[in-house]
Amino acid sequence: MKALMSLGALIGVAGLLLLAGMIFNVIPSSTVRLVEGYMPMQMLFELTCFVAGFAGLSYMMSAMGMPLSRFWQGIGFWAFILLYLKYRVYPPIPFSVRAMYGTVSLVAVFMWVSASEEDWKKFKQPIMNVLDAQTGMNKLLRYMYLVLLPILIGGFSYNAMMPKSEEPIELRTVHPAPPASTKVHGKTYTLQTSQNPYRVNPEGKYDQDFTNANIVEQGMGRLMKPNANPWDDKNQGYLKYVREGGEIFFQNCHFCHGDNLNGRGLHAFAFNPIPANFTDPGTIAQLQETFIFWRVSKGGIGLPNEGFPWASVMPPWEQHLTVDEIWKVILFEYWHTGYYPRTWD
Amino acid sequence: MMDSITQKAGIIAAAAFGVVLVSSAGYSIVSAQGLPEGFKKGDLAPEPSAEMIEAGKRVYFTKCVWCHGVDGAGDGPGADRLWPRPRNFNQGTFKIRHTASGELPLFDAKKPVPGQNDLFETVTHGLPGSAMPPWEGILTEEQRLQVLSFVTTQLVKDRKFTDKQTETQTVLQLAELKAKPATDESKKRGSELVVEKKCVECHGMEGRGDGNAFNLKDDWGFSIQPADWHKCWNFRGSRQDPYNVGNIFRTFSTGVNGTPMPSFADNTTVDERWDIANFVNSLCERDALGNPLPIDPLTDKPKINFVIPSDMVEGEIPTDIGHEAWQKAPKRYVAMGGQITHKPRNFVNRIDDIWVRSLYNDKSIVYLLEWDDRTKSVAEGKLPWAPTQVNIDVKEQDPKTGEEGSIAAHQNNYTVYNDAIAIETAVKWKELPAPIKPRYLFGTNDQFPVDIVKWEADGSLRAFKGTGWDKDFEERDNYEESMKLLKGEWKDGRWYVMIQRPLGNKKDQDYDEDTFFEVGQYIPTVFFAWDGHNGDAGRKMAVSAFFYTFMNPPIPRETYIYPAVIAVGVVLLEGWVLTRRANKKKGKTL
């Protein structure tokens, strides 16, 4: 038991040191990267480790005769969560989301400290001590609170009332509902029944299983399958079309969507919302190919009314590309990111 | 206290510098081995293993081939619409190095150590200002080393990284050279040295890259422009750490292979190089307090604030930029991208940011727009289309032309049009239910048009109505009376334009055509910019995203009253809690 607890304590201390290093920028927060797509799981896992570590730590401390009161445990743990969200998680998450997580964890901490009558009493005790002011130290604290609280709250409300020019919060429809059909270059395409004519097997038949077997491999780098190089001159069919789609992508799309299709192209920094990141599991991976076909053909200008705020700079590509070229680019995007297009059934 | 210490350090450094200067007078600046100061001989790295090269090929043909081409000649499908063009690896010419001018860069497939592996760092951090992105987080360290093993052995064809007969490595010992503190003294010395060493001949008197802007060519015959020292985040060698003076010191010491930028290692001392680096670094844009701008880790450019605040002034709005009101007005960085929605598309926009400030009084609002443009362009003769025409006949770049027809080859050969800037604001923005903005780019339709105020380098200031992304503008008839150009000046690579327009009221202006500005409201605003020497005209231009103009209201009296009331309330509450507690305890003990 003791050994287990000391191991836990060790983890706790190591975690605290790591976090402190990240706060003071000694350790870059990108040291242990959160892996794209697995971020929530990874965070939960890390936090679980820390909880175990802290349990061990507090056990060890009370065993060594320096117990930490429930009051400070609660406050300390909450502060830890806030700092973890701010400094550990990379890429950084916006304040509004952190505030939400912070509130949820505050509630959780409260539930923890008030789990039983006795716990709650233990938690309140330091507060009551200060209120009662039996010792000199507590007296001093009480007067400090008496003076500081009104000043702080007054200051905060002054700050809040100062007119500010902060960016207004903007709601955004990420994937608006598509129309039933779309007309491109004079031909009508029904979204539910249309198929990418280049998603074919060697016999020239539409075949998702075949093409899915030839896309890049998932995992860091997302590299092509060793014997499925689109730049092989002998290619016919699917891989040849992938290459042609790639050529179109790198002549038209990479300026915004980036060389790695991650929305970080040459011009991306200027736009808001920033261009879609196709490597994110939330974009093309959860959409049908025909949905992409509609969005690519019609662009930001073709968004339905509920697709506000209409700030998308996505061109209506039917102006620049033929229908065949659009289908090939879509083929390439799925190949390069290693995602399977969603099907209607 | 701190100040006096740095001052002292500066004086000591300056004194030391004087000693160096005296002692080195009359000698050329080389060490005993015949190497330039700060350099040491290095060894060629061993050849990467065959497995590394084979694995690298797979990375290359997944990620790199699209721009750099099958043979690494920088001629992939994306190449012809890019400027600068993707690197042609065949000659073994690489820009960012720790090695002496003309030498191959450092690369060791087994040693991904910062400062000792130039190519690895280039792939890791990318080359900002070009299309080369940072590959960190996309490719693993191993994969980056693999692909470089492939490139250095298979695609560099004219030179060999392991050939002791032909290749040498003279390595800048950057880690061992302690940076000189950036004192005023050092920066002043640097400012004199950039003139003495003729840096300003290419980089311009203010370092905006506007000297000799037309005649510089790289090794492959393509036009190339000198770096703009005010945008350090666009330095190719900035390594995602743009305000780090060491990067400038390195580039200045080693030169940039393949370009007209020479190495200054042979004719400057290390101390002089630090002075120059400190000075160049000090020019990079900073905030009002002189601190580096916060850099967005996702884009490696300054963070963008989409609200352009406008401060109120009493009486006339000053036209002098040095005036206190302008100096105090917050400055906003407006990032610009190429317009690639409508034909003709602008794949290479030479204006990538503008700086905007604004002031208002009871009648008008003034925008002060400043942006770096290496060339002042005024069209010769009459333009072949009407100013309102948007759908103009400028040919767009073909996707695949070969080197001769590429965008890079066109640079400085375009027909010159007017430099121009435009501010687009939404008309009747109040009726657009929040958060809906007008449709990008030229307004929604006849019912919700946009108001476009456009200044051109020929001195004209016009107002147009935009009624849809594919519609020509409609010229407005009353612009001359209401708008005013307060300033339109190009100096040392930078435009300074000040445009005044009325706030708008129902008596003098037309509500259906004009944007009415109201205090404390967010008014959708977009900026357009044209560089005449880039052949920009019509829709071939640079565009910003939607910003907001926000006229800061004067501070209301309530701001001071309510917090005081709240504070008093808290004191009362405290008293109540304490008495209650005391009573409760008394009750218990009784």
Side-chain angles (χ1 to χ4, degrees):
Chain A
M1 185 65 185
K2 196 131 198 190
L4 195 69
M5 281 302 177
S6 51
L7 180 72
L10 217 62
I11 296 176
V13 171
L16 285 176
L17 281 178
L18 271 176
L19 189 66
M22 283 171 186
I23 293 171
F24 293 108
N25 237 341
V26 188
I27 308 166
S29 51
S30 48
T31 318
V32 193
R33 266 186 179 272
L34 294 172
V35 182
E36 228 173 87
Y38 298 93
M39 238 165 90
M41 296 314 290
Q42 208 177 335
M43 274 171 61
L44 283 178
F45 174 72
E46 277 186 22
L47 284 176
T48 316
C49 286
F50 281 132
V51 169
F54 292 148
L57 195 61
S58 78
Y59 177 85
M60 284 309 281
M61 279 173 78
S62 49
M64 287 190 299
M66 316 181 284
L68 196 62
S69 73
R70 189 45 64 85
F71 180 71
W72 290 113
Q73 282 177 2
I75 288 186
F77 187 66
W78 191 53
F80 171 81
I81 299 262
L82 293 186
L83 292 172
Y84 176 89
L85 290 173
K86 168 117 196 298
Y87 291 99
R88 165 66 183 101
V89 181
Y90 187 90
I93 47 180
F95 175 76
S96 52
V97 179
R98 281 209 317 271
M100 230 152 66
Y101 289 156
T103 320
V104 171
S105 44
L106 182 66
V107 171
V109 166
F110 257 107
M111 275 159 70
W112 169 48
V113 295
S114 62
S116 70
E117 189 63 31
E118 196 185 338
D119 275 355
W120 180 237
K121 225 179 215 156
K122 265 200 230 161
F123 179 78
K124 297 200 290 201
Q125 201 51 53
I127 304 176
M128 292 304 165
N129 287 347
V130 172
L131 274 179
D132 295 342
Q134 302 291 1
T135 64
M137 182 63 187
N138 279 340
K139 223 169 224 161
L140 188 72
L141 267 178
R142 188 167 81 171
Y143 288 123
M144 262 170 62
Y145 277 121
L146 284 182
V147 178
L148 280 181
L149 268 182
I151 293 180
L152 276 178
I153 292 176
F156 277 132
S157 52
Y158 171 75
N159 236 348
M161 288 189 64
M162 240 348 227
K164 281 206 190 60
S165 54
E166 268 163 14
E167 285 170 42
I169 292 168
E170 228 155 53
L171 298 174
R172 190 172 160 238
T173 326
V174 178
H175 301 309
S181 66
T182 182
K183 195 172 172 184
V184 181
H185 287 296
K187 205 176 152 216
T188 304
Y189 296 84
T190 309
L191 263 53
Q192 287 230 26
T193 55
S194 295
Q195 287 176 332
N196 190 335
Y198 297 102
R199 189 171 286 287
V200 290
N201 59 20
E203 285 91 57
K205 287 247 170 56
Y206 181 87
D207 186 344
Q208 223 185 98
D209 293 334
F210 171 79
T211 56
N212 286 351
N214 280 290
I215 61 174
V216 303
E217 289 171 358
Q218 281 295 343
M220 255 316 244
R222 300 172 197 248
L223 301 186
M224 62 189 184
K225 296 248 161 69
N227 44 16
N229 180 358
W231 285 84
D232 192 333
D233 286 335
K234 295 191 287 288
N235 284 334
Q236 288 301 321
Y238 174 68
L239 281 175
K240 183 166 153 268
Y241 302 138
V242 164
R243 175 177 153 178
E244 287 167 6
E247 291 182 358
I248 297 156
F249 184 90
F250 280 90
Q251 285 155 0
N252 296 281
C253 319
H254 84 96
F255 296 96
C256 293
H257 293 288
D259 298 18
N260 200 45
L261 285 66
N262 57 356
R264 287 176 65 182
L266 199 50
H267 298 163
F269 74 106
F271 297 126
N272 179 27
I274 57 164
N277 172 1
F278 301 144
T279 60
D280 184 298
T283 59
I284 62 171
Q286 49 162 273
L287 295 167
Q288 295 88 0
E289 257 185 318
T290 46
F291 183 97
I292 316 282
F293 179 78
W294 164 63
R295 289 290 283 121
V296 171
S297 311
K298 299 298 175 187
I301 216 76
L303 280 173
N305 275 348
E306 68 271 17
F308 55 77
W310 302 342
S312 164
V313 296
M314 175 79 171
W317 285 98
E318 56 179 342
Q319 286 193 91
H320 306 292
L321 302 177
T322 64
V323 169
D324 288 343
E325 284 171 329
I326 294 173
W327 282 123
K328 281 177 188 168
V329 166
I330 295 169
L331 199 70
F332 170 77
E333 284 168 5
Y334 281 104
W335 175 81
H336 194 280
T337 53
Y339 289 129
Y340 308 149
R342 197 164 153 194
T343 49
W344 286 97
D345 36 66
Chain B
M1 184 65 195
M2 274 314 277
D3 274 358
S4 79
I5 288 176
T6 43
Q7 236 167 41
K8 263 182 213 154
I11 291 164
I12 292 167
F17 176 68
V19 173
V20 171
L21 198 70
V22 170
S23 63
S24 65
Y27 303 92
S28 89
I29 305 155
V30 284
S31 69
Q33 299 162 282
L35 299 177
E37 201 187 343
F39 285 79
K40 267 191 198 151
K41 272 261 158 296
D43 294 323
L44 296 177
E47 173 134 344
S49 67
E51 296 84 59
M52 290 282 280
I53 296 172
E54 192 52 36
K57 187 175 176 188
R58 186 171 159 212
V59 181
Y60 186 87
F61 278 93
T62 315
K63 305 283 183 190
C64 318
V65 66
W66 308 101
C67 287
H68 291 287
V70 178
D71 280 322
D75 59 353
D80 296 336
R81 280 179 169 173
L82 287 174
W83 183 58
R85 278 179 73 88
R87 179 90 330 189
N88 180 343
F89 298 131
N90 297 165
Q91 292 79 15
T93 306
F94 294 96
K95 282 183 169 175
I96 312 300
R97 295 159 294 106
H98 279 80
T99 55
S101 183
E103 289 185 340
L104 288 171
L106 299 177
F107 173 66
D108 187 333
K110 292 209 181 70
K111 224 168 55 177
V113 184
Q116 299 178 28
N117 202 331
D118 295 324
L119 291 181
F120 177 76
E121 283 184 88
T122 296
V123 172
T124 300
H125 299 298
L127 296 167
S130 82
M132 175 78 175
W135 291 94
E136 187 180 28
I138 294 168
L139 296 173
T140 61
E141 202 170 86
E142 184 71 11
Q143 287 169 335
R144 278 173 264 158
L145 292 170
Q146 287 167 346
V147 74
L148 282 166
S149 303
F150 175 71
V151 169
T152 51
T153 56
Q154 308 296 308
L155 301 181
V156 172
K157 295 184 176 170
D158 300 353
R159 300 173 75 163
K160 203 161 178 335
F161 274 69
T162 48
D163 188 346
K164 289 208 173 67
Q165 304 294 315
T166 55
E167 301 300 341
T168 52
Q169 300 261 268
T170 316
V171 185
L172 179 68
Q173 305 295 309
L174 192 53
E176 289 169 23
L177 300 168
K178 213 170 149 283
K180 195 173 159 180
T183 56
D184 289 345
E185 196 119 10
S186 168
K187 285 187 272 190
K188 182 163 174 295
R189 178 92 188 106
S191 71
E192 290 157 11
L193 280 166
V194 294
V195 178
E196 191 187 316
K197 302 292 175 192
K198 302 200 168 69
C199 307
V200 293
E201 279 188 11
C202 290
H203 290 282
M205 289 314 287
E206 285 187 16
R208 298 189 191 276
D210 58 308
N212 207 356
F214 301 105
N215 302 320
L216 298 174
K217 295 252 161 42
D218 66 13
D219 278 9
W220 296 270
F222 296 111
S223 276
I224 188 169
Q225 47 187 7
D228 182 341
W229 293 341
H230 296 256
K231 303 182 186 183
C232 52
W233 51 87
N234 278 351
F235 290 170
R236 301 290 185 279
S238 57
R239 302 299 195 218
Q240 297 184 297
D241 188 10
Y243 289 92
N244 183 343
V245 69
N247 290 322
I248 302 168
F249 180 91
R250 184 206 56 230
T251 300
F252 190 70
S253 299
T254 62
V256 181
N257 281 359
T259 77
M261 170 77 184
S263 154
F264 285 81
D266 288 331
N267 57 10
T268 50
T269 61
V270 162
D271 199 69
E272 285 173 315
R273 276 180 253 155
W274 280 123
D275 288 334
I276 291 174
N278 280 335
F279 170 67
V280 170
N281 189 33
S282 75
L283 290 184
C284 192
E285 291 283 354
R286 281 170 166 74
D287 68 11
L289 300 170
N291 296 321
L293 300 174
I295 298 289
D296 189 332
L298 290 179
T299 61
D300 298 317
K301 307 269 184 201
K303 277 194 179 146
I304 301 177
N305 183 330
F306 287 98
V307 176
I308 294 163
S310 183
D311 281 346
M312 196 180 83
V313 290
E314 298 286 341
E316 282 294 294
I317 294 168
T319 57
D320 170 22
I321 298 176
H323 190 279
E324 197 199 345
W326 281 118
Q327 290 301 315
K328 272 188 6 207
K331 211 170 167 185
R332 284 288 186 261
Y333 165 83
V334 174
M336 306 293 280
Q339 189 287 113
I340 49 175
T341 301
H342 312 300
K343 280 187 166 122
R345 290 175 282 173
N346 191 7
F347 298 104
V348 171
N349 55 310
R350 300 215 296 195
I351 301 168
D352 66 349
D353 59 45
I354 55 182
W355 290 86
V356 183
R357 279 179 267 182
S358 177
L359 292 176
Y360 74 96
N361 62 13
D362 52 343
K363 284 198 283 297
S364 345
I365 179 164
V366 175
Y367 288 94
L368 167 57
L369 307 140
E370 296 167 74
W371 72 99
D372 287 5
D373 181 346
R374 289 177 173 83
T375 50
K376 176 180 179 173
S377 336
V378 182
E380 289 168 16
K382 210 169 162 294
L383 295 178
W385 51 78
T388 46
Q389 244 173 298
V390 186
N391 302 304
I392 57 165
D393 189 24
V394 170
K395 201 178 168 315
E396 124 175 337
Q397 177 70 22
D398 287 330
K400 192 85 190 147
T401 58
E403 285 190 3
E404 316 78 52
S406 68
I407 286 191
H410 282 320
Q411 290 301 319
N412 299 325
N413 294 322
Y414 286 110
T415 312
V416 175
Y417 303 123
N418 286 328
D419 283 339
I421 196 117
I423 308 167
E424 175 185 283
T425 46
V427 175
K428 293 190 277 191
W429 48 269
K430 266 196 139 166
E431 291 174 34
L432 297 166
I436 298 181
K437 303 174 204 173
R439 294 251 176 174
Y440 205 76
L441 188 63
F442 297 135
T444 312
N445 50 29
D446 280 322
Q447 196 199 348
F448 289 113
V450 288
D451 179 33
I452 298 160
V453 174
K454 184 179 181 186
W455 165 89
E456 289 191 48
D458 59 6
S460 66
L461 185 64
R462 294 188 175 90
F464 305 100
K465 183 170 143 187
T467 54
W469 63 276
D470 55 350
K471 302 278 193 334
D472 278 336
F473 297 162
E474 289 168 36
E475 192 146 10
R476 295 185 31 206
D477 40 16
N478 62 343
Y479 63 87
E480 270 167 356
E481 303 98 69
S482 52
M483 309 279 165
K484 208 161 142 199
L485 181 68
L486 301 182
K487 192 182 207 56
E489 186 193 350
W490 185 88
K491 194 172 153 281
D492 291 325
R494 191 169 179 88
W495 274 108
Y496 303 85
V497 175
M498 218 185 262
I499 297 169
Q500 174 179 306
R501 54 166 303 151
L503 292 178
N505 62 60
K506 292 217 169 145
K507 190 157 68 64
D508 302 321
Q509 276 90 24
D510 183 350
Y511 178 71
D512 291 326
E513 276 206 351
D514 222 321
T515 307
F516 284 16
F517 288 76
E518 272 179 44
V519 171
Q521 299 288 332
Y522 293 92
I523 297 148
T525 311
V526 183
F527 298 91
F528 304 137
W530 290 262
D531 178 358
H533 268 82
N534 195 30
D536 288 2
R539 283 183 193 143
K540 191 178 176 213
M541 61 184 179
V543 297
S544 80
F546 268 111
F547 279 72
Y548 292 104
T549 302
F550 183 87
M551 304 200 311
N552 284 325
I555 299 169
R557 201 171 304 152
E558 289 86 346
T559 316
Y560 303 105
I561 299 172
Y562 287 162
V565 173
I566 290 172
V568 171
V570 173
V571 171
L572 291 178
L573 194 74
E574 281 174 350
W576 179 72
V577 169
L578 281 179
T579 20
R580 218 182 103 105
R581 176 73 188 157
N583 285 344
K584 204 172 169 191
K585 257 180 51 186
K586 240 187 257 160
K588 259 187 196 155
T589 45
L590 272 174

